[in-house]
Amino acid sequence: FVCTLLPKLTTPATHIAYVDTDVCDANGSRSFPDFKPDWNPDLQLTAGYVSSGVWVDKLSRVVAHVGQSCRLTPFSISQFLCLCYVNGNEERIEHIPLVLVSRPENVAPFNLAAPLLADAYRPFADIIASNLPTLTLRWGMPSSPLVSIIIPTRNGMELVKACIESILHKTTYSNYEILLINNGSDDIDCIHYFAELDKHPKIRLINYDKAFNYSAINNFAAKHANGEVLALVNNDIEVISPNWLQDMVSHVLRDDIGCVGAKLLFSDDRIQHAGVVMGYGGGAGHAHKYFPADHCGYMNRLVASHNYSAVTAACLLITTNDFWAVGGLNEHDLAIAFNDVDLCLKVLALGRRNLYCAEAILYHHESVSRGHEDTPEKVLRFKRELSYLQTHWQHVIAADPAYNPNLTLRRENFGIKDFSVTN
């Protein structure tokens, strides 16, 4: 049925196509649909999210690129698509967001076998043993570049202290510098503390005395950075996983990866950020927000490192070259909100893929230092910045390739869309 129907739904240039799937029980009842994103190479590598409902055109020519031993079983479909990426022979892969295939109850929706993939992955990544239903890949690094960690702050001594001490004492990756950007602090204790930090060999204190503009501050700091990689970090971040920086650097050094974001938790161990979905709230929002930290998420997307259209700059890595290739953050139109989303989408337009790194786990005490958007001036500014995002990135907001049109935009929980109301 799929082989008959899919060629009629795809474009002439399509070589491989896949559909959404669900479960069919012994009574013929269907449930648990897997509404997949468009082609997401890193989600295939770590979660094998496509393992059935696949149509391949000119099979013999495609298989010749990845090996003749690939038979179309659920595992080998996962393997086949992984190898297409691994060998640099990705064909034109199209996603049809329709549930056209059902699987029996006893067949897993995602299919990866680490021992069988180990040889294929070994040239670029090691498979790290874990109890997760996904693969944890540790990517090789051709070098250990200097990372410039940029932390803007105004006062907030306790936040800054917790942030910087966690970086200094917990981070295993050692080749970094911290640029603490003092934006007009007037608390005398903070001023004295910052002066002490400036004596540390890894820390530089830089004063920025203009009005608060998140984009402008980070652009200013990036001009003072010595690193090949920039890490934009909020002052209310605390390190949890010691390998956070190593894992994120290993991804940002990949030629096809642009911005890399982390798994961020609220203080109560619920998810604050695990990738940004375009369209939430008419603009953008955080996937799986408020889920428990140990939840696997929809289609294992909380525990799998994979591609999103955007990630938050509360903890974001980008190469210095890519940062300036897109002109840095937009300090003229997006002083406070959505500047990170805009940055990511500009990098996406370079031909890079942005990535959520599930292994990099940190706390983010969101809005503790700045407060909430609760004054008339802040509300008006937020509306202007939302309008800018909607005007300039309408096509991504309308159809985020990392999401699925069958999923709701009313909540950040991957719920199924109710087509009887406006979502």
Side-chain angles (χ1 to χ4, degrees):
F1 172 71
V2 172
C3 289
T4 302
L5 181 60
L6 274 186
K8 299 177 182 179
L9 296 176
T10 59
T11 61
T14 299
H15 295 127
I16 301 171
Y18 64 92
V19 301
D20 296 337
T21 60
D22 65 7
V23 171
C24 184
D25 65 18
N27 298 319
S29 298
R30 298 169 62 194
S31 57
F32 301 110
D34 296 313
F35 290 122
K36 301 173 171 67
D38 289 349
W39 177 235
N40 196 306
D42 283 280
L43 188 60
Q44 189 64 27
L45 293 177
T46 56
Y49 79 105
V50 180
S51 61
S52 62
V54 176
W55 170 81
V56 181
D57 187 26
K58 301 177 181 176
L59 180 60
S60 60
R61 182 176 67 81
V62 175
V63 170
H65 291 161
V66 296
Q68 295 290 340
S69 62
C70 194
R71 296 181 180 180
L72 295 183
T73 65
F75 165 70
S76 66
I77 290 172
S78 294
Q79 181 189 45
F80 167 70
L81 290 171
C82 288
L83 292 178
C84 283
Y85 170 77
V86 168
N87 292 322
N89 292 316
E90 286 179 282
E91 302 291 324
R92 168 66 184 269
I93 301 176
E94 187 172 349
H95 168 224
I96 308 300
L98 299 171
V99 177
L100 298 180
V101 170
S102 296
R103 64 183 184 278
E105 289 179 288
N106 61 347
V107 175
F110 318 114
N111 203 308
L112 285 170
L116 295 176
L117 284 172
D119 287 340
Y121 285 5
R122 192 166 288 117
F124 61 86
D126 293 323
I127 298 175
I128 307 301
S130 77
N131 295 321
L132 297 172
T134 55
L135 295 186
T136 300
L137 300 180
R138 178 143 295 158
W139 290 73
M141 294 192 294
S143 63
S144 298
L146 178 66
V147 179
S148 296
I149 302 175
I150 297 171
I151 306 174
T153 193
R154 173 180 166 83
N155 297 322
M157 184 172 73
E158 293 305 316
L159 288 173
V160 173
K161 184 175 182 180
C163 177
I164 289 183
E165 288 189 356
S166 73
I167 293 172
L168 293 174
H169 298 152
K170 294 183 179 180
T171 303
T172 55
Y173 187 92
S174 60
N175 195 19
Y176 65 84
E177 63 173 359
I178 297 174
L179 278 60
L180 181 64
I181 312 302
N182 177 25
N183 183 210
S185 296
D186 55 10
D187 183 301
I188 191 64
D189 292 332
C190 283
I191 293 171
H192 289 158
Y193 173 64
F194 295 164
E196 286 300 309
L197 288 178
D198 193 36
K199 299 175 183 177
H200 193 284
K202 281 188 172 291
I203 302 174
R204 279 191 285 150
L205 178 67
I206 302 174
N207 292 312
Y208 181 86
D209 296 324
K210 298 180 182 179
F212 179 75
N213 178 320
Y214 180 85
S215 296
I217 292 172
N218 280 280
N219 288 344
F220 167 82
K223 294 174 183 176
H224 290 78
N226 296 321
E228 298 174 48
V229 175
L230 303 177
L232 310 185
V233 174
N234 278 18
N235 68 347
D236 51 0
I237 289 288
E238 286 187 56
V239 174
I240 298 174
S241 59
N243 289 327
W244 72 281
L245 193 54
Q246 176 184 341
D247 288 329
M248 295 180 77
V249 171
S250 70
H251 283 296
V252 85
L253 293 182
R254 295 165 58 190
D255 291 339
D256 50 352
I257 297 298
C259 300
V260 178
K263 177 186 285 187
L264 303 181
L265 309 182
F266 288 112
S267 304
D268 61 3
D269 288 326
R270 292 183 299 163
I271 296 294
Q272 190 272 335
H273 168 270
V276 170
V277 170
M278 302 302 299
Y280 283 151
H286 291 180
H288 291 110
K289 193 171 185 178
Y290 303 124
F291 273 54
D294 59 355
H295 200 288
C296 287
Y298 186 72
M299 290 175 51
N300 293 324
R301 292 184 68 171
L302 262 176
V303 293
S305 291
H306 65 288
N307 309 119
Y308 275 96
S309 294
V311 292
T312 181
C315 183
L316 179 153
L317 262 64
I318 182 174
T319 64
T320 303
N321 286 341
D322 278 353
F323 185 81
W324 292 120
V326 297
L329 294 165
N330 185 343
E331 59 190 77
H332 303 292
D333 303 295
L334 300 172
I336 311 297
F338 302 118
N339 38 52
D340 47 2
V341 176
D342 179 70
L343 175 72
C344 288
L345 296 181
K346 290 187 294 186
V347 169
L348 203 64
L350 293 177
R352 308 281 196 274
R353 297 192 318 279
N354 299 315
L355 183 134
Y356 153 66
C357 180
E359 292 75 42
I361 307 172
L362 307 95
Y363 282 117
H364 180 206
H365 310 292
E366 186 183 32
S367 299
V368 171
S369 55
R370 282 196 58 249
H372 299 281
E373 308 287 359
D374 54 3
T375 67
E377 294 79 12
K378 288 182 179 180
V379 170
L380 285 174
R381 187 264 310 150
F382 179 84
K383 288 181 176 178
R384 286 196 304 270
E385 293 173 338
L386 175 59
S387 177
Y388 178 92
L389 186 77
Q390 292 171 330
T391 300
H392 286 76
W393 298 109
Q394 189 277 332
H395 62 290
V396 189
I397 291 173
D400 187 341
Y403 203 51
N404 187 296
N406 296 296
L407 297 174
T408 184
L409 294 173
R410 294 169 65 86
R411 295 169 300 281
E412 296 163 306
N413 63 356
F414 286 82
I416 297 175
K417 185 175 184 178
D418 183 352
F419 286 91
S420 68
V421 298
T422 301
N423 278 246

